Amino acid sequence: MSTGLFRLAIAGVVSLGLTAGSGAFAASCSGSPAAEAFDVQGLKSELMVTALSCKAQDRYNAVMEKFRTKLLAEEQRLNTYFRTTYGKRAQIEHDDYITQLANVQSEKSLQSGTIFCDQRIGMFDEVIALDDEHDLSKYALAKDITQPATFETCAAPAVEKTTETRSRARRRTARKA
């Protein structure tokens, strides 16, 4: 990445962070499928960190089993978001997001110390008591779940063709002339 593009990307991330806050996005986008997928993934990761930190893997497994269909659907939406946004780098970017998500949530648990489990273990009871997948989405949206970055989730931009592809197209046009 050139220095100019890198600076522009950093400026954009800082600008989004200052205007939207961590894990937030434009209010008009809050109902988008990608926004819901990020919310649900954040909740899933928070529950995983809680399960591992507080020795509650059986409770985590019960939640995952109850909402398996919804979780798989939201994972598919995330895959679509990353493919549309990052093209060939989709899997790398998606993996980076999942890793960063777990890392920031684990760091938060470490900073909280022994009170973390007291604060978070009740989430399992709250989630397992939800009636259906719609309630899970609403719950994920309402919770203050730590996210590693702000993503624009209104609509993913189309992946731009590479310079190499455009250069070939120009050469073909030039040869015809």
Side-chain angles (χ1 to χ4, degrees), residues 93-131:
E93 295 294 333
H94 189 175
D95 292 347
D96 285 349
Y97 163 71
I98 297 299
T99 300
Q100 291 173 23
L101 179 61
N103 286 344
V104 298
Q105 291 176 343
S106 293
E107 185 177 307
K108 188 176 176 182
S109 77
L110 292 172
Q111 290 171 350
S112 297
T114 57
I115 197 166
F116 177 80
C117 289
D118 293 337
Q119 292 173 333
R120 296 291 189 199
I121 201 77
M123 286 176 62
F124 290 109
D125 294 332
E126 294 169 358
V127 173
I128 208 72
L130 298 173
D131 290 328

Side-chain angles (χ1 to χ4, degrees), residues 48-56 106 109 116-117:
M48 178 195 65
V49 168
T50 302
L52 293 173
S53 299
C54 307
K55 297 180 179 33
S106 293
S109 77
F116 177 80
C117 289

